[in-house]
Amino acid sequence: MAVNPFKPTAGANPPQLVGRDALIDEFLESIEDGPGAPGRLTIFSGPRGIGKTVMLNAVADQVQANHQWVVIHETATPGFLDRITRTAGQQLDPKRRRLTGVTLPSYLGGGGLSFAPTPEPARSGFRETASLLLDQCEAGQTGLLITLDEVRTSTELAQLAADIQHLIREDREIAIAFAGIPSAVNELLNDQLTTFLRRADRKDLDDVPLADVAQALQATITDNGRTIDPDALSTAATATGGYPFMIQLVGYHIWRKSTGDHITARAVAAGVQQARTRLGSLVHAAALRELSEVDRTFLLAMAQDEGPARIADIARRMGKDTRYAQVYRGRLIAAGMITPAGYGKVQFAIPYLRDYLIEHAAHQEMSGRGEPT
Ligand SMILES: Nc1ncnc2c1ncn2[C@@H]1O[C@H](COP(=O)(O)OP(=O)(O)OP(=O)(O)O)[C@@H](O)[C@H]1O
Ligand SMILES: [Mg+2]
């Protein structure tokens, strides 16, 4: 039996990357345009599961395949700058690598002299190593792309930004693609230590068009030896809400639920149900855990409306004034949980989040309080 081609796993490359061609092309153009192209410093931002990590993978694969650049992938957890430096050092050919270590001439280090060499200050050495690697790349008409996932402010990030700023100013063949959730990216861009990053090209990733989703589901299914009814396909595409993580979950579960080589409406109904359950435990629960209690109360108040909710109604349900609710509106937009939906209104940014909130225990806290209507 054919292997399930869908990849409902964080960071796993999907069988088809839906709706991101224009963004990838733009990044590739910046590589062709040469040093100084603004896209060479790009930040991909968006809520959990929107496809930030696979975007980094996609641009890196293309830059590697089309331009033979050296690519270094890292995640911005502590120690990342050392890890990047080490990886860059490993890419150096042995002749150049020797230059990175400080070798004292024997008449200095060879004993007899009473002073010790000043120890290297505790800094990254990133800039030096990257410069050597860039010499090597540029000699072969290529360059260096660094991707850094899950960015947030830190002294290490400030150091990296300062070093990159120098390398860009020196017109080196370097590009860097960052990814992070909006709140972390906002914080980074507001940080005085990383003002340089404000000139980065920020790309806010969004849901993708349903027509593209349907096409990708269909192509993936037929490329892997199965077929699907047109009606069933349209139901499946609609159920994804255009949310990338859900594309993989729906695809994966409708494939699993089908018994033969043909995916029926019945298999789609069962698969979509399963996908929604998985979305709840994989995405909703994780996203809600990162929020404060008041944030969650705001979302619960909002979930009482079927469509977009008015801030004024949310405030009233929370028993607070509109100004108070506005603060949490801003926080939740930055956290990628909600988006503005016309004047004075907001909507959920992740499909089925409303249903999840209603179905889960926290709901009782809120309904216990009651709503004066
Ligand atoms: N454009 C896309 N088309 C189809 N599937 C996609 C697309 N983008 C992402 N996916 C799928 O969605 C899931 C989530 O992608 P990814 O891990 O890149 O999200 P993320 O934004 O990095 O999430 P997080 O903030 O949790 O790290 C993966 O299963 C991936 O294969
Ligand atoms: Mg990610």
Side-chain angles (χ1 to χ4, degrees), residues 36-38 40-43 126 157-170 174-176 178 188-201:
R40 284 193 173 200
L41 187 61
T42 291
I43 305 182
F126 167 75
L157 201 74
Q159 180 65 59
L160 175 71
D163 288 348
I164 296 278
Q165 179 171 14
H166 281 290
L167 295 167
I168 288 180
R169 199 186 285 156
E170 292 161 6
I174 190 164
I176 179 150
F178 293 108
L188 185 63
L189 298 180
N190 286 327
D191 190 335
Q192 288 306 319
L193 290 172
T194 44
T195 47
F196 166 69
L197 295 180
R198 288 180 203 163
R199 73 168 70 165
D201 212 350

Side-chain angles (χ1 to χ4, degrees), residues 191-261:
D191 190 335
Q192 288 306 319
L193 290 172
T194 44
T195 47
F196 166 69
L197 295 180
R198 288 180 203 163
R199 73 168 70 165
D201 212 350
R202 178 175 177 165
K203 301 291 185 199
D204 288 307
L205 300 182
D206 217 334
D207 290 340
V208 296
L210 289 187
D212 295 349
V213 174
Q215 207 178 13
L217 286 175
Q218 163 119 58
T220 305
I221 289 165
T222 52
D223 287 354
N224 288 277
R226 289 192 183 177
T227 52
I228 181 165
D229 288 336
D231 282 357
L233 175 66
S234 142
T235 308
T238 306
T240 68
Y243 174 54
F245 204 148
M246 195 62 174
I247 300 173
Q248 299 310 311
L249 279 171
V250 166
Y252 186 82
H253 289 288
I254 64 174
W255 181 280
R256 266 189 70 216
K257 294 285 178 189
S258 78
T259 43
D261 281 347

Side-chain angles (χ1 to χ4, degrees), residues 72-88 124-126 146-164 176-179 188 194 197:
I72 298 178
H73 289 289
E74 257 307 332
T75 302
T77 49
F80 76 83
L81 197 51
D82 279 346
R83 294 196 297 275
I84 293 177
T85 307
R86 211 173 318 127
T87 311
S124 68
F126 167 75
I146 295 170
T147 78
L148 191 64
D149 205 357
E150 302 279 359
V151 291
R152 54 201 159 88
T153 43
S154 69
T155 48
E156 267 184 75
L157 201 74
Q159 180 65 59
L160 175 71
D163 288 348
I164 296 278
I176 179 150
F178 293 108
L188 185 63
T194 44
L197 295 180

Side-chain angles (χ1 to χ4, degrees), residues 70 72 74 82-94 97 100 129 133 136:
V70 172
I72 298 178
E74 257 307 332
D82 279 346
R83 294 196 297 275
I84 293 177
T85 307
R86 211 173 318 127
T87 311
Q90 285 159 1
Q91 303 281 333
L92 288 173
D93 70 35
R97 200 177 301 165
T100 59
T129 310
L133 182 54
Q136 183 179 313

